[in-house]
Amino acid sequence: RRQKKTASHTVTELENSKDCSQAGKLLFCPSHPTEELRLFCEQCDQPVCQHCVVGRHRQHPCDFTGNVIHKHGDALRELLKSTQQHMGTLESALSQIDAMGSAVRSRAEAVATEICLFASGYVKAIEEHRDRLLKQLEDLKVQKVNLLHLQKAQLQQLLLDMRTGVGFTEHLLASGSDLEILITKGVVASRLAKLNSVAYNTHPSMDDGIQFSPQEKAGQCCGYEVFGAILNKAVDPARCTLHGEDLHSAHQNQLTGFTLLCNDTMGERMGRGGEAVRVTITHRDKRECTVKPTVCDNGDGTYHISYSPEEPGVYAVCVCVKGQHVQGSPFTVMVKSKFREHQGVFHCCTFCSSGGQKSARCACGGTMPGGYQGCGHGHKGHPGCPHWSCCGQVKESSECSGGPPSGTSQRSLLRTVAL
């Protein structure tokens, strides 16, 4: 009824139709009302009457409706069957969509519950970590304040004792007689000398070195990883130490170095980096000859200082933290000439490295029975550890100290090296 062409047509529900046998009712041609529709035009795909066939459907292929109904009915049935299959597929898809929608809503509600539980637990963990940090801060403040109060009380008592002694001595010298001064001189002098010998610290025993690091990992709290820690350690340059095997020796044009270990005022390791470390290396005889070191912050309270001197000689090394020399600074470094490389082989013994050659010798001086001229495990002269065949040094990174020992043929030693 919403279409313009069919707005005036009479429309009847099929199931509400009173006469269900209208399928066999005669139908007449709309162009020729007196003629019954008995023929079907294949080209126009519509029923026609005899007058239509003679008229405007003259050249069109036409046949009686009874002859063509089977062909067109079968085609409709195939289309109907295909459409019904699509209907079943669509109904199944709609059912799956409805089921998935229900599953999505249920899953979203479950995840929302998980998020709320996680958030509430996380908030609880953060609040507990906050309370723990505040308590730690309060304890640290009380500890520092108590130590400052103790230092203050000690200094006040010392000052009071000194004022009493000074006042008594001044009064004695100003008002006492010669005899009185001589009688009390020993006691007063002893008292003043004792007061003068008392050691005291003019600087506060505690500092305000309390910091909060939000990026610092603080472990777990209530099963959650939390961040933020209170840093109260302050580096003490006088307690920082230097370490390294070659701390006082180096070789020309060879990279060497040492390690700086930073400690706090209590002598404990800092455990974190970020300190202002300054290192200067200057030739003692040639002031214009300096070496530019490289300072690597390891982030754990240690710093690796590496350098490569270009000239031999004695160098003065200064290591400062916060502008103050560390323990052992300044110190001297003896830079030797170019490193003497080993010409031999670093082995356990000549018997193993030469494949059992009797003529192979080693600078360690070891001997073996049975005509062997070199060293072997557990035999006389063997150092008991791996060593260089050219000089007998037991440290692999060491400098060669010289050639083969007296009585060792160069040919047998070179044979060991080659093997």
Side-chain angles (χ1 to χ4, degrees):
R1 294 188 180 278
R2 292 191 297 270
Q3 301 280 349
K4 183 177 180 182
K5 293 183 178 181
T6 58
S8 60
H9 292 191
T10 302
V11 181
T12 305
E13 296 285 346
L14 292 178
E15 53 269 17
N16 296 335
S17 178
K18 295 180 180 180
D19 188 3
C20 299
S21 62
Q22 289 184 355
K25 185 179 180 180
L26 297 178
L27 299 176
F28 295 91
C29 179
S31 301
H32 308 91
T34 59
E35 293 295 327
E36 185 180 351
L37 295 173
R38 295 183 177 180
L39 300 172
F40 185 79
C41 178
E42 294 285 352
Q43 183 173 339
C44 297
D45 195 28
Q46 67 178 23
V48 295
C49 66
Q50 293 181 358
H51 291 298
C52 293
V53 172
V54 177
R56 56 192 178 92
H57 296 277
R58 180 180 303 173
Q59 302 297 330
H60 298 175
C62 297
D63 199 355
F64 287 100
T65 57
N67 296 334
V68 300
I69 186 62
H70 299 291
K71 181 179 69 172
H72 292 282
D74 292 340
L76 284 176
R77 291 185 185 90
E78 289 296 327
L79 288 175
L80 175 64
K81 184 178 179 181
S82 177
T83 304
Q84 289 174 341
Q85 291 178 352
H86 284 297
M87 288 175 59
T89 303
L90 291 174
E91 290 174 353
S92 177
L94 291 173
S95 177
Q96 292 180 5
I97 291 173
D98 291 338
M100 186 57 66
S102 300
V104 168
R105 287 188 289 271
S106 300
R107 185 57 187 162
E109 293 176 358
V111 172
T113 303
E114 292 179 6
I115 292 175
C116 292
L117 290 175
F118 172 79
S120 60
Y122 207 177
V123 170
K124 181 180 178 182
I126 293 176
E127 290 177 347
E128 183 173 332
H129 182 53
R130 175 201 62 194
D131 297 339
R132 188 170 60 186
L133 287 175
L134 292 176
K135 185 179 183 306
Q136 182 181 351
L137 178 62
E138 182 65 22
D139 294 342
L140 182 61
K141 182 195 73 173
V142 171
Q143 178 186 359
K144 286 179 174 288
V145 170
N146 288 342
L147 290 176
L148 290 174
H149 283 170
L150 177 61
Q151 183 186 14
K152 181 180 178 181
Q154 292 174 346
L155 293 179
Q156 286 177 340
Q157 183 62 44
L158 179 61
L159 179 59
L160 179 61
D161 294 342
M162 286 185 175
R163 283 176 177 172
T164 302
V166 168
F168 179 81
T169 306
E170 289 177 346
H171 178 72
L172 176 64
L173 293 175
S175 304
S177 62
D178 295 342
L179 184 59
E180 291 175 340
I181 294 175
L182 293 176
I183 293 175
T184 58
K185 176 184 72 70
V187 177
V188 173
S190 176
R191 177 61 174 166
L192 292 179
K194 185 177 181 181
L195 290 175
N196 291 333
S197 64
V198 175
Y200 57 91
N201 188 8
T202 58
H203 300 284
S205 58
M206 288 286 110
D207 55 15
D208 59 348
I210 303 176
Q211 297 178 352
F212 176 69
S213 176
Q215 296 83 14
E216 195 84 12
K217 288 186 176 181
Q220 288 193 347
C221 184
C222 299
Y224 294 86
E225 188 76 21
V226 292
F227 293 83
I230 295 176
L231 306 178
N232 64 315
K233 291 184 176 182
V235 65
D236 185 359
R239 295 182 180 270
C240 298
T241 56
L242 299 171
H243 304 273
E245 294 182 359
D246 300 326
L247 187 61
H248 298 283
S249 63
H251 287 84
Q252 182 183 3
N253 296 326
Q254 182 179 1
L255 185 66
T256 185
F258 54 90
T259 301
L260 168 65
L261 176 59
C262 289
N263 298 320
D264 61 5
T265 54
M266 304 300 294
E268 297 180 356
R269 185 170 171 176
M270 289 294 295
R272 57 182 174 86
E275 302 297 340
V277 179
R278 185 173 60 89
V279 181
T280 59
I281 304 175
T282 308
H283 200 287
R284 175 168 291 182
D285 300 327
K286 302 177 182 179
R287 295 296 180 180
E288 70 281 358
C289 179
T290 60
V291 180
K292 185 177 181 181
T294 300
V295 180
C296 178
D297 187 351
N298 298 324
D300 58 355
T302 62
Y303 300 81
H304 183 71
I305 296 93
S306 58
Y307 62 98
S308 179
E310 296 181 356
E311 294 189 19
V314 180
Y315 286 78
V317 182
C318 297
V319 182
C320 298
V321 176
K322 292 184 176 181
Q324 301 180 32
H325 284 279
V326 301
Q327 188 179 136
S329 175
F331 62 94
T332 59
V333 175
M334 173 62 71
V335 177
K336 302 178 183 179
S337 300
K338 191 174 181 180
F339 188 80
R340 186 176 181 182
E341 301 287 346
H342 288 281
Q343 300 299 320
V345 59
F346 191 70
H347 63 180
C348 57
C349 66
T350 56
F351 182 84
C352 296
S353 62
S354 66
Q357 295 291 328
K358 291 187 176 182
S359 60
R361 297 195 178 189
C362 182
C364 72
T367 58
M368 292 178 62
Y372 288 94
Q373 300 180 20
C375 58
H377 299 291
H379 294 284
K380 182 180 180 181
H382 189 273
C385 60
H387 55 280
W388 285 101
S389 63
C390 52
C391 61
Q393 293 268 9
V394 296
K395 186 178 179 181
E396 187 174 5
S397 59
S398 62
E399 183 181 12
C400 187
S401 59
S406 58
T408 303
S409 65
Q410 185 69 18
R411 182 177 179 277
S412 63
L413 188 60
L414 291 177
R415 179 177 177 82
T416 302
V417 175
L419 289 174

